[in-house]
Amino acid sequence: MKGTYTSLFAALALAGTALASPVAAEEGPTSADIVNDANTPGDVLSYGLGPWQQRYSPLKEVNSDNVTKLVPAYAASLGGEKQRGQESQPLVYDGMIYVTGSYSRLFAFDAKTGEKVWEYDARLPDGIMPCCDVVNRGAAIHGNKVIFATLDAHLVALDRKTGKVIWNKKIADYQAGYSATAAPIIVKDMVITGNSGGEFGVIGAVQARNVDTGELIWERPVIEGHMGTLNGQPNGITGKTNATWPGDMWKTGGGATWLGGTYDPGTNMVYFGTGNPAPWNSHLRPGDNLYTSSTLAIDADTGVIKWHYQTTPHDGWDFDGVNEFIPFDATINGKAMKLGAKADRNGYFYVLDRTNGKFISANKFVMETTWANGINPKTGRPNYNDANRPGAPDGAEKGSVVFASPSFLGGKNWMPMAYSQDTGLFYVPSNDWGMDIWNEPIAYKKGAAYLGAGFTIKPIAEDHIGALRAMDPKTGKIVWEYKNPAPLWGGVLTTGGNLVFTGTPEGYLKAFDAKTGKELWKFNTGSGVVGSPITWTQDGEQYIAVMSGWGGAVPLWGGEVAKTFKEISQGGSLWVFKLAK
Ligand code: CA
Ligand code: CA
């Protein structure tokens, strides 16, 4: 009898599941829809156009033969007195475009006309501490909600039709220097994101929350010694306390996960990059300082670290290894492999086995890397040039100054690369620049900058700083490059139309031939483009959209390279394009 009951209950539960799907579909995208985003060109449901975030669309109505006919369909201003950097990637669903703006704003525009439907402005406290401009990189969408992170380190879920708050949860304490700028990702009805604040001695962590309620499901701090949680219970210490950190330095060790992560449904892992160890002065923290400046593969269900790969052990240059790790499949030496690639801030392009973190290759994607002479293929560790590590302070005096390249803003910073399934190439928005860097005495103080370093960024080439580079992940060779006078700071999109799109600080959205790198089209949006472009189909036509609005870390910290962009005006607009009829 009991057995019958159990079977009956199981059958009812299954029926319930089957019935639930159509209802959920009416409410909006499900987690399954979001995992399938790359295969549905009628919408853009996720940051990166799919869980792998390859930023590839199969659409080819707009292609290398006709892209010269691309014209604006409309533009929409974010308005407001405050502008600054617009690093967002739009989402498109059910006739609406959702885009985040500077100062923790979220906008819903009519996707046909660009008319504003609603706007949400987070009420930010006075004491927020964003290190590198008041940016936001995009929202997530699920069911009836759009969800985004705010500069006071909250996650906010809004009703996607009205903009009304459904839930609002604190990620971390902004008064301790935490903030949040990443686009969250949706995995199995969870919203997963990282935190920002590596320049303030925070502890980087990844959090997974129930997408309907915002309640925490698991948290994984990324600095060794800190305890993770699962369903409110302790779930194991990260690493081994004091294995790679001296004394109490791990308690304020940095490693901010400020760019968010990618997800591979095949391995059920989320891949998060981790930022610089704190403070920048590496002489205060002998050891590898795990898991800073690394890629972490984390079990999506439990928050347990499955593997790690540290790109810059004992980082002394702010080679904050937070860059996105992009899954892709390829055949190398006759063997079909599940891989992932990362163009690291330290100037090397890494290919790893995404199932276990095993090193496959690392190749330079910038003009020079003075701090290391290649990556040892046996150990996967950099061959350090010890003379290029800034010296230890002597008492109250600053340490020896070195000229290091790339600069701390990186061979590549936050701006996401794209991978074409047609050409097999990664399109990497990179920069060639160096810096004078030195160390200074420093002690941790809650909510204060925790660097112990000073710097001046300098150009290293006459003709450019920015360089969009097509990298072959099988050979590590640069197939083509486009050089740009000002630093590149926007994301990349590639399409089945043999096109690569990216923006420039000079104000242009540009299109290149994906195979040759030939510049085919450009349009000036009136302010610098540091957002990430998208494409989708609507009413039988292909559309392309990008945010315009100059800002981000470069105008704040750019030093001598500032002369390349001093004439650029601020802004804040969504631009949408399609082919002229
Ligand atoms: Ca889609
Ligand atoms: Ca940093």
Side-chain angles (χ1 to χ4, degrees):
M1 192 64 196
K2 199 175 177 188
T4 312
Y5 253 106
T6 310
S7 304
L8 184 62
F9 184 77
L12 283 171
L14 275 174
T17 308
L19 283 172
S21 307
V23 177
E26 276 176 19
E27 286 176 0
T30 64
S31 297
D33 295 334
I34 294 160
V35 160
N36 196 38
D37 189 22
N39 303 316
T40 51
D43 56 32
V44 177
L45 301 177
S46 55
Y47 186 73
L49 289 80
W52 285 1
Q53 297 182 23
Q54 290 182 341
R55 298 182 181 278
Y56 169 81
S57 168
L59 293 176
K60 53 189 176 191
E61 182 202 342
V62 179
N63 56 56
S64 48
D65 292 329
N66 64 16
V67 68
T68 52
K69 298 197 182 76
L70 204 59
V71 293
Y74 56 83
S77 172
L78 302 190
E81 292 175 13
K82 297 172 174 177
Q83 297 186 326
R84 307 204 63 94
Q86 310 298 348
E87 293 186 354
S88 180
Q89 181 218 291
L91 299 177
V92 182
Y93 180 72
D94 195 20
M96 302 271 274
I97 299 181
Y98 300 97
V99 66
T100 60
S102 54
Y103 295 95
S104 304
R105 294 175 291 167
L106 203 157
F107 298 79
F109 294 108
D110 184 304
K112 288 192 178 166
T113 63
E115 285 178 34
K116 187 165 79 181
V117 179
W118 56 259
E119 170 180 350
Y120 172 80
D121 288 28
R123 197 177 300 162
L124 297 170
D126 288 336
I128 55 167
M129 284 172 253
C131 76
C132 307
D133 204 5
V134 288
V135 298
N136 185 279
R137 303 200 167 92
I141 185 168
H142 181 277
N144 62 341
K145 290 179 278 295
V146 281
I147 303 160
F148 82 124
T150 57
L151 290 164
D152 56 347
H154 279 238
L155 263 185
V156 182
L158 306 172
D159 185 305
R160 67 178 170 80
K161 292 195 170 143
T162 64
K164 295 272 185 305
V165 176
I166 295 175
W167 53 258
N168 180 339
K169 297 289 179 184
K170 177 178 162 182
I171 298 173
D173 177 12
Y174 75 86
Q175 290 177 313
Y178 288 92
S179 55
T181 54
I185 59 172
I186 302 291
V187 176
K188 297 177 168 179
D189 297 346
M190 296 182 286
V191 54
I192 302 182
T193 197
N195 60 26
S196 307
E199 273 56 57
F200 299 92
V202 304
I203 297 299
V206 181
Q207 290 185 350
R209 292 171 179 275
N210 180 312
V211 73
D212 291 321
T213 64
E215 293 304 321
L216 188 66
I217 294 173
W218 58 256
E219 178 171 40
R220 174 52 52 190
V222 304
I223 301 296
E224 75 176 12
H226 294 268
M227 179 63 76
T229 63
L230 174 62
N231 298 323
Q233 301 297 316
N235 192 33
I237 285 174
T238 298
K240 184 163 173 270
T241 310
N242 281 131
T244 63
W245 291 86
D248 284 343
M249 298 300 286
W250 60 278
K251 292 181 178 170
T252 51
T257 49
W258 57 267
L259 197 50
T262 57
Y263 173 59
D264 175 29
T267 57
N268 195 40
M269 294 176 190
V270 291
Y271 301 100
F272 272 72
T274 64
N276 59 284
W280 285 17
N281 177 355
S282 60
H283 300 278
L284 293 172
R285 42 175 175 75
D288 280 356
N289 312 133
L290 291 172
Y291 294 104
T292 61
S293 302
S294 300
T295 299
L296 298 183
I298 300 174
D299 184 293
D301 296 329
T302 64
V304 169
I305 296 173
K306 306 301 279 188
W307 58 258
H308 76 276
Y309 182 90
Q310 190 175 37
T311 44
T312 313
H314 195 219
D315 178 7
W317 305 264
D318 190 30
F319 289 154
D320 192 308
V322 78
N323 313 79
E324 70 282 7
F325 180 80
I326 303 300
F328 71 108
D329 292 337
T331 300
I332 292 188
N333 299 328
K335 193 178 167 203
M337 299 193 74
K338 295 178 189 297
L339 302 167
K342 174 179 181 177
D344 198 279
R345 201 145 134 179
N346 72 17
Y348 288 93
F349 183 91
Y350 293 82
V351 178
L352 306 179
D353 182 327
R354 72 173 180 272
T355 67
N356 56 21
K358 196 169 149 286
F359 177 89
I360 304 293
S361 65
N363 289 279
K364 200 163 69 172
F365 67 92
V366 292
M367 275 174 58
E368 62 179 25
T369 56
T370 60
W371 64 282
N373 181 20
I375 309 298
N376 181 323
K378 287 213 174 69
T379 62
R381 294 172 72 92
N383 302 313
Y384 280 108
N385 172 8
D386 291 331
N388 207 232
R389 181 179 293 273
D394 182 6
E397 296 292 305
K398 74 179 186 186
S400 59
V401 182
V402 299
F403 182 78
S405 182
S407 81
F408 75 91
L409 288 177
K412 175 178 162 306
N413 201 283
W414 79 274
M415 54 284 194
M417 60 186 181
Y419 174 72
S420 168
Q421 297 172 11
D422 302 322
T423 63
L425 301 174
F426 278 90
Y427 302 99
V428 184
S430 68
N431 288 305
D432 293 317
W433 46 15
M435 63 179 167
D436 286 332
I437 181 168
W438 59 91
N439 288 320
E440 298 166 347
I442 185 77
Y444 176 77
K445 184 165 168 277
K446 183 186 170 184
Y450 187 46
L451 265 61
F455 48 79
T456 307
I457 292 185
K458 297 177 170 180
I460 58 170
E462 295 269 308
D463 61 341
H464 75 284
I465 297 167
L468 177 66
R469 292 183 164 120
M471 292 284 298
D472 184 338
K474 294 184 185 183
T475 63
K477 295 265 186 326
I478 296 169
V479 176
W480 58 257
E481 65 182 359
Y482 155 80
K483 292 177 178 176
N484 197 67
L488 291 179
W489 209 252
V492 182
L493 168 74
T494 184
T495 72
N498 187 37
L499 291 171
V500 177
F501 290 90
T502 200
T504 72
E506 290 89 341
Y508 291 99
L509 179 64
K510 293 192 170 192
F512 303 88
D513 184 304
K515 291 194 193 83
T516 67
K518 186 181 177 209
E519 184 179 317
L520 301 174
W521 172 86
K522 65 179 180 180
F523 178 87
N524 196 305
T525 63
S527 179
V529 177
V530 293
S532 298
I534 59 161
T535 188
W536 75 102
T537 49
Q538 179 173 297
D539 301 330
E541 293 178 285
Q542 183 180 354
Y543 285 73
I544 289 142
V546 73
M547 286 300 301
S548 166
W550 173 234
V554 174
L556 294 173
W557 305 113
E560 290 180 20
V561 306
K563 66 176 183 288
T564 63
F565 47 77
K566 68 180 192 312
E567 301 301 333
I568 298 169
S569 296
Q570 292 192 10
S573 295
L574 169 72
W575 282 88
V576 178
F577 303 89
K578 63 174 184 170
L579 291 177
K581 285 257 175 72

